Amino acid sequence: MEHPRPSPAQAPGRGAEVHPDLVSLLVAAAEAPPEWAALVTPQARLDGDLMLDECELATLAVLLRERFGAGADLAALRAGLDLAGLESLTVGALERALLPGRVSG
Amino acid sequence: MSRFLLVVPPLTGHVYPAVGIARELTARGHEVAWTGSEAVLRPLLGPGEQVLGTGSRLFRAQGGHGLAALRSLWEGFIVPYARFTAKPLDAVVRAFRPDVLLVDQHTPAGALVAHRHGLRWASLAPGAMELGRPLRALPQVEAWMRELLGDLWQRAGLPPEEFTDPRFSPDLVLALTGPALTGPAPFPEQYALVGPVLSERPADPGFPWERLDPGRRTVLVTMGTLAGDIGADFHARAARALELCGPGVQAVVTAPRELLPAALPTGTVAVDRAPVVELMARGQLDAVLCHGGMNTVGEALMHGIPLVAAPIRHDQPFVAAQLVASGAGVRVPFPRVAPAALAAALGTVLDGTAHREAAVRVGAALRAGGGAGRAADHLEALAASIGRTRSS
């Protein structure tokens, strides 16, 4: 399955498109340098583009629940997906599923 | 005396640990044969081992990251390799007539042929991928794996009602790790955690021992199979990090030269292949920077050497997490760790005593697992328990 590669450097309005707290949590879970936040676009796949491994995703799940409450259950979201769904899960899809009403941009 | 057949994939990291077990069995007077790709096995095993070839075919290289790597492992290697070897394995079993098969978890065809012939088989888990269900949080992925294995079972003509997951022998699963890494969670009773199995490897007379500076602390950088831009990018960051560590640190880097930057820190020994275990045993290493592969982590800990793990794929993130939990190392994110952060991680394990002390402690606990000797004990017990059920 082909996926379009994100081009964060050219993405219009980047940074405003993803909830800033979500960006911060992703940077924290990824133990990434601050400039890595530029890669966090709605189109970025957690696996193929941001290259988060299972342990980092487990950390992100904990951080999301701490910040947004029990409803922001990334573990449950991912548990319901098959391999293709997991491979194609994007930041935008995560935001829509877990943070309804908080989506910015 | 019993006859043991070792079924292994054509992957170096899976073959080396089995060598120690094979040699222990042979030393005890048993007959041991290997089966798999002779083109791969013979150079690794040398001329003295009995290899019953199943033919060779090029399978997709182990590459990528995350779920893509998992898909590639199963759809590009485990399943097609099982199909490719099914018939030759059947012929090998008929010819060798083993008492027990020792089957690597990533060569399920070995378990299928054992089942067909009514033979006892043990599973060999050289890594953590099929141990402790690291992907239990993703039930649909686990189901996908079981479905692939179920298809193999069906293709082998075995009765569906007798399905047994070919990764997990109901009689014996030999795991080359120990509770010091896996934690206190219990395993089923047929699991034997024997710790890492060290084995001698072909000598490497070309290694430039004279270039190791005894006045500097030495870091081994060994990242397994890395290729392309992702490998070059990491090695560029690692080289910069080692430079930031200062002149008191010397690196031994094992990697294809094309993946390394043109300028390496002064004194760096860059080689395609290093005598890793010998470097460790000689006390030449102060730290290891690796991908979190179970073999390298186990070997380093057995020698009391702390690690920095930058996991890339498969079980490596889980092994790295176990390493961190044990206190014997630190983890950095492979795709994005900045040179300064990597240098800081190396400094943490080099400068402090806590990680080294933990590495010594964990290494001792892993050694207590018994290694090849304990593995051979379990295999002998399995062989002794059988009623000589053989196929015609």
PDB file of all heavy atoms in Angstrom, chain B residues 287-313:
ATOM      1  N   ALA B 287      31.782   0.319  26.829  1.00  0.00           N
ATOM      2  CA  ALA B 287      30.346   0.466  26.563  1.00  0.00           C
ATOM      3  C   ALA B 287      30.063  -0.041  25.155  1.00  0.00           C
ATOM      4  O   ALA B 287      30.969  -0.135  24.317  1.00  0.00           O
ATOM      5  CB  ALA B 287      29.907   1.924  26.692  1.00  0.00           C
ATOM      6  N   VAL B 288      28.809  -0.373  24.926  1.00  0.00           N
ATOM      7  CA  VAL B 288      28.372  -0.820  23.599  1.00  0.00           C
ATOM      8  C   VAL B 288      27.192   0.046  23.169  1.00  0.00           C
ATOM      9  O   VAL B 288      26.244   0.246  23.948  1.00  0.00           O
ATOM     10  CB  VAL B 288      27.958  -2.309  23.614  1.00  0.00           C
ATOM     11  CG1 VAL B 288      27.314  -2.713  22.300  1.00  0.00           C
ATOM     12  CG2 VAL B 288      29.165  -3.208  23.909  1.00  0.00           C
ATOM     13  N   LEU B 289      27.270   0.561  21.972  1.00  0.00           N
ATOM     14  CA  LEU B 289      26.130   1.239  21.341  1.00  0.00           C
ATOM     15  C   LEU B 289      25.607   0.295  20.281  1.00  0.00           C
ATOM     16  O   LEU B 289      26.324  -0.043  19.338  1.00  0.00           O
ATOM     17  CB  LEU B 289      26.563   2.566  20.715  1.00  0.00           C
ATOM     18  CG  LEU B 289      25.562   3.252  19.770  1.00  0.00           C
ATOM     19  CD1 LEU B 289      24.255   3.568  20.489  1.00  0.00           C
ATOM     20  CD2 LEU B 289      26.163   4.524  19.169  1.00  0.00           C
ATOM     21  N   CYS B 290      24.358  -0.148  20.454  1.00  0.00           N
ATOM     22  CA  CYS B 290      23.834  -1.150  19.530  1.00  0.00           C
ATOM     23  C   CYS B 290      22.358  -0.908  19.265  1.00  0.00           C
ATOM     24  O   CYS B 290      21.759   0.045  19.762  1.00  0.00           O
ATOM     25  CB  CYS B 290      24.064  -2.556  20.081  1.00  0.00           C
ATOM     26  SG  CYS B 290      22.952  -3.007  21.432  1.00  0.00           S
ATOM     27  N   HIS B 291      21.773  -1.804  18.473  1.00  0.00           N
ATOM     28  CA  HIS B 291      20.379  -1.702  18.049  1.00  0.00           C
ATOM     29  C   HIS B 291      19.417  -2.365  19.029  1.00  0.00           C
ATOM     30  O   HIS B 291      18.216  -2.382  18.783  1.00  0.00           O
ATOM     31  CB  HIS B 291      20.221  -2.324  16.672  1.00  0.00           C
ATOM     32  CG  HIS B 291      20.758  -3.725  16.580  1.00  0.00           C
ATOM     33  ND1 HIS B 291      21.665  -4.242  17.460  1.00  0.00           N
ATOM     34  CD2 HIS B 291      20.511  -4.724  15.703  1.00  0.00           C
ATOM     35  CE1 HIS B 291      21.963  -5.485  17.132  1.00  0.00           C
ATOM     36  NE2 HIS B 291      21.274  -5.804  16.064  1.00  0.00           N
ATOM     37  N   GLY B 292      19.935  -2.933  20.094  1.00  0.00           N
ATOM     38  CA  GLY B 292      19.052  -3.603  21.039  1.00  0.00           C
ATOM     39  C   GLY B 292      18.724  -5.029  20.642  1.00  0.00           C
ATOM     40  O   GLY B 292      17.758  -5.595  21.148  1.00  0.00           O
ATOM     41  N   GLY B 293      19.511  -5.608  19.746  1.00  0.00           N
ATOM     42  CA  GLY B 293      19.315  -7.015  19.409  1.00  0.00           C
ATOM     43  C   GLY B 293      19.651  -7.880  20.620  1.00  0.00           C
ATOM     44  O   GLY B 293      20.574  -7.583  21.370  1.00  0.00           O
ATOM     45  N   MET B 294      18.886  -8.948  20.782  1.00  0.00           N
ATOM     46  CA  MET B 294      19.039  -9.770  21.985  1.00  0.00           C
ATOM     47  C   MET B 294      20.445 -10.349  22.107  1.00  0.00           C
ATOM     48  O   MET B 294      21.016 -10.410  23.205  1.00  0.00           O
ATOM     49  CB  MET B 294      18.022 -10.910  21.960  1.00  0.00           C
ATOM     50  CG  MET B 294      18.038 -11.745  23.207  1.00  0.00           C
ATOM     51  SD  MET B 294      17.319 -10.903  24.608  1.00  0.00           S
ATOM     52  CE  MET B 294      15.704 -11.635  24.568  1.00  0.00           C
ATOM     53  N   ASN B 295      21.032 -10.775  20.981  1.00  0.00           N
ATOM     54  CA  ASN B 295      22.371 -11.365  21.063  1.00  0.00           C
ATOM     55  C   ASN B 295      23.380 -10.375  21.609  1.00  0.00           C
ATOM     56  O   ASN B 295      24.136 -10.671  22.536  1.00  0.00           O
ATOM     57  CB  ASN B 295      22.827 -11.838  19.679  1.00  0.00           C
ATOM     58  CG  ASN B 295      22.133 -13.110  19.249  1.00  0.00           C
ATOM     59  OD1 ASN B 295      21.512 -13.790  20.051  1.00  0.00           O
ATOM     60  ND2 ASN B 295      22.221 -13.412  17.969  1.00  0.00           N
ATOM     61  N   THR B 296      23.430  -9.192  21.024  1.00  0.00           N
ATOM     62  CA  THR B 296      24.430  -8.209  21.433  1.00  0.00           C
ATOM     63  C   THR B 296      24.200  -7.770  22.872  1.00  0.00           C
ATOM     64  O   THR B 296      25.153  -7.648  23.652  1.00  0.00           O
ATOM     65  CB  THR B 296      24.388  -6.985  20.498  1.00  0.00           C
ATOM     66  OG1 THR B 296      24.501  -7.426  19.145  1.00  0.00           O
ATOM     67  CG2 THR B 296      25.531  -6.031  20.801  1.00  0.00           C
ATOM     68  N   VAL B 297      22.951  -7.535  23.211  1.00  0.00           N
ATOM     69  CA  VAL B 297      22.645  -7.115  24.583  1.00  0.00           C
ATOM     70  C   VAL B 297      23.055  -8.217  25.568  1.00  0.00           C
ATOM     71  O   VAL B 297      23.715  -7.953  26.583  1.00  0.00           O
ATOM     72  CB  VAL B 297      21.149  -6.775  24.726  1.00  0.00           C
ATOM     73  CG1 VAL B 297      20.758  -6.602  26.196  1.00  0.00           C
ATOM     74  CG2 VAL B 297      20.821  -5.502  23.941  1.00  0.00           C
ATOM     75  N   GLY B 298      22.702  -9.444  25.266  1.00  0.00           N
ATOM     76  CA  GLY B 298      23.047 -10.554  26.154  1.00  0.00           C
ATOM     77  C   GLY B 298      24.546 -10.733  26.272  1.00  0.00           C
ATOM     78  O   GLY B 298      25.079 -10.926  27.371  1.00  0.00           O
ATOM     79  N   GLU B 299      25.243 -10.671  25.141  1.00  0.00           N
ATOM     80  CA  GLU B 299      26.701 -10.848  25.166  1.00  0.00           C
ATOM     81  C   GLU B 299      27.364  -9.753  25.997  1.00  0.00           C
ATOM     82  O   GLU B 299      28.271 -10.013  26.796  1.00  0.00           O
ATOM     83  CB  GLU B 299      27.240 -10.837  23.738  1.00  0.00           C
ATOM     84  CG  GLU B 299      26.906 -12.098  22.954  1.00  0.00           C
ATOM     85  CD  GLU B 299      27.054 -11.926  21.451  1.00  0.00           C
ATOM     86  OE1 GLU B 299      27.356 -10.795  20.989  1.00  0.00           O
ATOM     87  OE2 GLU B 299      26.850 -12.911  20.734  1.00  0.00           O
ATOM     88  N   ALA B 300      26.931  -8.511  25.813  1.00  0.00           N
ATOM     89  CA  ALA B 300      27.536  -7.404  26.560  1.00  0.00           C
ATOM     90  C   ALA B 300      27.278  -7.569  28.060  1.00  0.00           C
ATOM     91  O   ALA B 300      28.197  -7.428  28.876  1.00  0.00           O
ATOM     92  CB  ALA B 300      26.983  -6.072  26.055  1.00  0.00           C
ATOM     93  N   LEU B 301      26.060  -7.881  28.409  1.00  0.00           N
ATOM     94  CA  LEU B 301      25.731  -8.010  29.827  1.00  0.00           C
ATOM     95  C   LEU B 301      26.478  -9.179  30.465  1.00  0.00           C
ATOM     96  O   LEU B 301      26.911  -9.091  31.612  1.00  0.00           O
ATOM     97  CB  LEU B 301      24.216  -8.167  30.009  1.00  0.00           C
ATOM     98  CG  LEU B 301      23.388  -6.932  29.623  1.00  0.00           C
ATOM     99  CD1 LEU B 301      21.900  -7.232  29.736  1.00  0.00           C
ATOM    100  CD2 LEU B 301      23.755  -5.737  30.496  1.00  0.00           C
ATOM    101  N   MET B 302      26.619 -10.260  29.723  1.00  0.00           N
ATOM    102  CA  MET B 302      27.369 -11.414  30.265  1.00  0.00           C
ATOM    103  C   MET B 302      28.800 -11.015  30.588  1.00  0.00           C
ATOM    104  O   MET B 302      29.467 -11.677  31.388  1.00  0.00           O
ATOM    105  CB  MET B 302      27.367 -12.557  29.251  1.00  0.00           C
ATOM    106  CG  MET B 302      26.000 -13.154  28.993  1.00  0.00           C
ATOM    107  SD  MET B 302      25.547 -14.420  30.163  1.00  0.00           S
ATOM    108  CE  MET B 302      26.247 -15.862  29.377  1.00  0.00           C
ATOM    109  N   HIS B 303      29.290  -9.965  29.939  1.00  0.00           N
ATOM    110  CA  HIS B 303      30.644  -9.491  30.224  1.00  0.00           C
ATOM    111  C   HIS B 303      30.632  -8.229  31.088  1.00  0.00           C
ATOM    112  O   HIS B 303      31.666  -7.559  31.226  1.00  0.00           O
ATOM    113  CB  HIS B 303      31.384  -9.222  28.905  1.00  0.00           C
ATOM    114  CG  HIS B 303      31.690 -10.482  28.143  1.00  0.00           C
ATOM    115  ND1 HIS B 303      30.840 -11.014  27.201  1.00  0.00           N
ATOM    116  CD2 HIS B 303      32.742 -11.335  28.208  1.00  0.00           C
ATOM    117  CE1 HIS B 303      31.360 -12.122  26.714  1.00  0.00           C
ATOM    118  NE2 HIS B 303      32.513 -12.351  27.299  1.00  0.00           N
ATOM    119  N   GLY B 304      29.471  -7.897  31.643  1.00  0.00           N
ATOM    120  CA  GLY B 304      29.393  -6.766  32.557  1.00  0.00           C
ATOM    121  C   GLY B 304      29.578  -5.419  31.891  1.00  0.00           C
ATOM    122  O   GLY B 304      30.035  -4.465  32.537  1.00  0.00           O
ATOM    123  N   ILE B 305      29.211  -5.313  30.626  1.00  0.00           N
ATOM    124  CA  ILE B 305      29.415  -4.072  29.880  1.00  0.00           C
ATOM    125  C   ILE B 305      28.068  -3.353  29.709  1.00  0.00           C
ATOM    126  O   ILE B 305      27.113  -3.943  29.185  1.00  0.00           O
ATOM    127  CB  ILE B 305      30.012  -4.368  28.491  1.00  0.00           C
ATOM    128  CG1 ILE B 305      31.344  -5.120  28.643  1.00  0.00           C
ATOM    129  CG2 ILE B 305      30.228  -3.070  27.700  1.00  0.00           C
ATOM    130  CD1 ILE B 305      31.854  -5.710  27.350  1.00  0.00           C
ATOM    131  N   PRO B 306      27.961  -2.102  30.124  1.00  0.00           N
ATOM    132  CA  PRO B 306      26.696  -1.370  29.954  1.00  0.00           C
ATOM    133  C   PRO B 306      26.489  -0.962  28.495  1.00  0.00           C
ATOM    134  O   PRO B 306      27.439  -0.896  27.714  1.00  0.00           O
ATOM    135  CB  PRO B 306      26.895  -0.138  30.843  1.00  0.00           C
ATOM    136  CG  PRO B 306      28.377   0.073  30.876  1.00  0.00           C
ATOM    137  CD  PRO B 306      29.005  -1.292  30.773  1.00  0.00           C
ATOM    138  N   LEU B 307      25.238  -0.700  28.179  1.00  0.00           N
ATOM    139  CA  LEU B 307      24.898  -0.431  26.779  1.00  0.00           C
ATOM    140  C   LEU B 307      24.070   0.839  26.620  1.00  0.00           C
ATOM    141  O   LEU B 307      23.339   1.252  27.526  1.00  0.00           O
ATOM    142  CB  LEU B 307      24.074  -1.579  26.178  1.00  0.00           C
ATOM    143  CG  LEU B 307      24.679  -2.973  26.168  1.00  0.00           C
ATOM    144  CD1 LEU B 307      24.052  -3.825  27.253  1.00  0.00           C
ATOM    145  CD2 LEU B 307      24.491  -3.635  24.800  1.00  0.00           C
ATOM    146  N   VAL B 308      24.168   1.393  25.417  1.00  0.00           N
ATOM    147  CA  VAL B 308      23.200   2.365  24.921  1.00  0.00           C
ATOM    148  C   VAL B 308      22.501   1.684  23.752  1.00  0.00           C
ATOM    149  O   VAL B 308      23.166   1.251  22.802  1.00  0.00           O
ATOM    150  CB  VAL B 308      23.868   3.671  24.456  1.00  0.00           C
ATOM    151  CG1 VAL B 308      22.837   4.596  23.806  1.00  0.00           C
ATOM    152  CG2 VAL B 308      24.555   4.360  25.632  1.00  0.00           C
ATOM    153  N   ALA B 309      21.186   1.573  23.836  1.00  0.00           N
ATOM    154  CA  ALA B 309      20.432   0.885  22.787  1.00  0.00           C
ATOM    155  C   ALA B 309      19.635   1.897  21.975  1.00  0.00           C
ATOM    156  O   ALA B 309      18.922   2.729  22.534  1.00  0.00           O
ATOM    157  CB  ALA B 309      19.502  -0.158  23.391  1.00  0.00           C
ATOM    158  N   ALA B 310      19.768   1.799  20.666  1.00  0.00           N
ATOM    159  CA  ALA B 310      18.986   2.620  19.737  1.00  0.00           C
ATOM    160  C   ALA B 310      18.176   1.658  18.877  1.00  0.00           C
ATOM    161  O   ALA B 310      18.598   1.272  17.782  1.00  0.00           O
ATOM    162  CB  ALA B 310      19.910   3.478  18.877  1.00  0.00           C
ATOM    163  N   PRO B 311      17.019   1.230  19.377  1.00  0.00           N
ATOM    164  CA  PRO B 311      16.296   0.144  18.704  1.00  0.00           C
ATOM    165  C   PRO B 311      15.693   0.566  17.373  1.00  0.00           C
ATOM    166  O   PRO B 311      15.208   1.688  17.216  1.00  0.00           O
ATOM    167  CB  PRO B 311      15.200  -0.212  19.714  1.00  0.00           C
ATOM    168  CG  PRO B 311      15.009   1.016  20.538  1.00  0.00           C
ATOM    169  CD  PRO B 311      16.347   1.686  20.607  1.00  0.00           C
ATOM    170  N   ILE B 312      15.722  -0.374  16.445  1.00  0.00           N
ATOM    171  CA  ILE B 312      15.268  -0.073  15.078  1.00  0.00           C
ATOM    172  C   ILE B 312      13.968  -0.802  14.745  1.00  0.00           C
ATOM    173  O   ILE B 312      13.030  -0.203  14.237  1.00  0.00           O
ATOM    174  CB  ILE B 312      16.355  -0.481  14.058  1.00  0.00           C
ATOM    175  CG1 ILE B 312      17.686   0.191  14.416  1.00  0.00           C
ATOM    176  CG2 ILE B 312      15.929  -0.087  12.640  1.00  0.00           C
ATOM    177  CD1 ILE B 312      18.870  -0.368  13.660  1.00  0.00           C
ATOM    178  N   ARG B 313      13.916  -2.105  15.009  1.00  0.00           N
ATOM    179  CA  ARG B 313      12.762  -2.875  14.531  1.00  0.00           C
ATOM    180  C   ARG B 313      12.570  -4.154  15.355  1.00  0.00           C
ATOM    181  O   ARG B 313      13.402  -4.500  16.178  1.00  0.00           O
ATOM    182  CB  ARG B 313      12.943  -3.242  13.058  1.00  0.00           C
ATOM    183  CG  ARG B 313      14.085  -4.199  12.793  1.00  0.00           C
ATOM    184  CD  ARG B 313      14.198  -4.549  11.317  1.00  0.00           C
ATOM    185  NE  ARG B 313      14.833  -3.500  10.566  1.00  0.00           N
ATOM    186  CZ  ARG B 313      16.150  -3.441  10.311  1.00  0.00           C
ATOM    187  NH1 ARG B 313      16.940  -4.382  10.751  1.00  0.00           N
ATOM    188  NH2 ARG B 313      16.674  -2.455   9.618  1.00  0.00           N
TER     189      ARG B 313
END
